[in-house]
Amino acid sequence: MKKYRIFQIVLIVLVASAGLATPAHAITGTVRVVVAKAGFVVGAGGGRGVLTFRDRDYPFTVQGLSLGLTAGASVNKLVGRASYLHELRDFEGSWSARAVLCSAAAGCG
């Protein structure tokens, strides 16, 4: 009976201390990017952006290639958030995106 009572006390202390713990708060940065794209079947694009993090601006570049039904040119201005940043190096690296575009006329929709 004594061991059961000690177990109850330890369990109550653990549950109470879990409520006192504060999670590590990550900072959200603001990202602004301007990208220019052009191509015919094979496209290429590139641009510049700025990450605003902890009241400072950090410039970066964007570049990429596309293959598919590409014809023409465009300039896109994008604004977004970079979430869960604890420090600046959490943002660095190479990122990639893949997309499949299809239309109802091609039997995809």
Side-chain angles (χ1 to χ4, degrees):
M1 202 60 170
K2 186 176 179 182
K3 287 184 182 182
Y4 179 72
R5 185 71 178 154
I6 292 173
F7 177 74
Q8 281 183 322
I9 293 171
V10 169
L11 187 60
I12 290 170
V13 169
L14 285 174
V15 170
S17 65
L20 297 175
T22 58
H25 294 288
I27 297 172
T28 299
T30 302
V31 179
R32 296 181 310 272
V33 183
V34 176
V35 180
K37 300 186 292 186
F40 184 75
V41 180
V42 176
R48 297 187 179 276
V50 175
L51 167 68
T52 302
F53 177 68
R54 292 187 175 154
D55 298 323
R56 292 190 61 195
D57 290 341
Y58 299 93
F60 61 91
T61 59
V62 178
Q63 54 189 330
L65 295 172
S66 64
L67 177 63
L69 298 175
T70 303
S74 66
V75 175
N76 298 298
K77 295 179 181 181
L78 310 169
V79 178
R81 293 185 311 214
S83 300
Y84 305 108
L85 298 176
H86 295 282
E87 49 192 77
L88 183 59
R89 70 178 178 195
D90 292 337
F91 184 76
E92 68 185 37
S94 296
W95 303 86
S96 65
R98 293 177 185 86
V100 176
L101 302 177
C102 200
S103 68
C108 301

